[in-house]
């Protein structure tokens, strides 16, 4: 059964699946769950690419380097697709501004955007339990609101308030495989 699931994934209509949401929505956990499964494809976390740049300029001009990270990831996506490695899951907060830029870079590539969000109380609880990464609740709340109202072609919205990471992943799989 597990092997069949991997084969089905490789037949997904979507070459790129962007999983985005405010901090605490489980994006990194989703990426890790995919990495340890028999998933046939690639998983890229934009934060990991941004973390590769370690210089004072990055700290001062974070947005500029964020765009550069998106450029690098876009190039890498095209290289993976040439080698027939897909679907490619991209995980990141990715505000609407950065999503628009990223989607321009994905011109002529079939993609799906998965928007993860939760109710405010759950967001607050998740943010208070974080021991690393981004922990600014006010900004996280703004991003969470963006995820609920973002509109782009090929978008799916998942309320993670009552879901475990595995349940969230199962919904992502359902949408990325079955929603064609």
């Amino acid at each position: 059964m597990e092997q069949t699931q991997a084969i089905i994934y490789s037949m997904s209509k979507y070459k790129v699946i962007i999983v985005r949401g405010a901090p605490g929505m489980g994006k990194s956990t989703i990426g890790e769950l995919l990495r340890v499964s028999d998933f046939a494809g690639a998983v890229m976390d934009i934060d990991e690419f941004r973390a590769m740049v370690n210089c004072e300029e990055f700290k001062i001009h974070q947005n500029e380097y964020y765009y550069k990270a998106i450029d690098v990831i876009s190039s890498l996506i095209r290289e993976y697709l040439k080698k027939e490695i897909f679907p490619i899951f991209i995980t990141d907060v990715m505000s609407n501004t950065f999503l628009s830029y990223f989607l321009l870079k994905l011109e002529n590539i079939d993609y799906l955007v998965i928007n993860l969000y939760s109710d405010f109380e759950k967001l607050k609880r998740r943010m208070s339990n974080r021991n690393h990464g981004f922990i600014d609740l006010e900004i996280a709340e703004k991003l969470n609101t963006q995820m609920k109202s973002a509109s782009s072609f090929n978008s799916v919205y998942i309320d993670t308030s009552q879901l475990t990471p595995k349940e969230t992943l199962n919904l992502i799989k359902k949408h990325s495989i079955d929603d064609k």
Side-chain angles (χ1 to χ4, degrees):
M1 177 74 171
E2 299 289 7
Q3 199 169 25
T4 305
Q5 188 173 4
I7 292 167
I8 290 170
Y9 254 131
S10 67
M11 294 176 358
S12 173
K13 169 187 172 183
Y14 305 106
K15 304 292 186 207
V16 176
I17 297 139
I18 302 162
V19 179
R20 63 190 286 254
M25 292 303 109
K27 300 171 304 294
S28 297
T29 303
I30 298 297
E32 288 304 314
L33 288 171
L34 282 166
R35 285 183 181 112
V36 299
S37 70
D38 64 349
F39 164 69
V43 179
M44 291 188 258
D45 186 330
I46 290 182
D47 283 344
E48 292 173 9
F49 283 83
R50 291 174 56 200
M52 291 179 192
V53 179
N54 188 22
C55 67
E56 195 61 33
E57 279 294 305
F58 177 77
K59 295 171 187 154
I60 296 168
H61 304 286
Q62 286 188 30
N63 284 352
E64 180 183 332
Y65 280 89
Y66 191 88
Y67 285 115
K68 289 178 182 181
I70 289 174
D71 291 341
V72 169
I73 289 169
S74 302
S75 297
L76 188 55
I77 286 170
R78 292 193 183 282
E79 289 302 314
Y80 277 171
L81 293 176
K82 285 180 193 174
K83 307 236 183 278
E84 297 185 14
I85 298 171
F86 62 86
I88 303 165
F89 279 81
I90 306 295
T91 62
D92 191 57
V93 169
M94 207 175 289
S95 70
N96 289 342
T97 302
F98 291 119
L99 177 64
S100 295
Y101 181 77
F102 190 53
L103 294 179
L104 286 174
K105 296 292 186 175
L106 296 181
E107 184 180 9
N108 300 319
I109 297 174
D110 292 322
Y111 68 86
L112 176 66
V113 178
I114 306 279
N115 299 281
L116 304 179
Y117 65 92
S118 73
D119 63 50
F120 178 70
E121 287 306 313
K122 190 66 164 191
L123 173 67
K124 194 163 79 171
R125 200 167 26 259
R126 288 175 179 171
M127 292 298 289
S128 69
N129 290 335
R130 290 176 68 99
N131 55 13
H132 67 282
F134 191 86
I135 55 171
D136 185 323
L137 180 60
E138 184 178 331
I139 293 174
E141 184 179 12
K142 288 177 185 176
L143 290 165
N144 193 50
T145 300
Q146 265 191 23
M147 297 308 137
K148 294 181 206 179
S149 62
S151 66
S152 71
F153 184 70
N154 285 353
S155 286
V156 172
Y157 304 86
I158 299 175
D159 182 348
T160 66
S161 301
Q162 303 301 318
L163 301 175
T164 66
K166 284 188 178 184
E167 291 169 331
T168 302
L169 178 59
N170 286 336
L171 280 175
I172 291 170
K173 287 178 179 180
K174 177 188 177 298
H175 290 292
S176 61
I177 296 169
D178 299 337
D179 245 17
K180 297 178 188 168

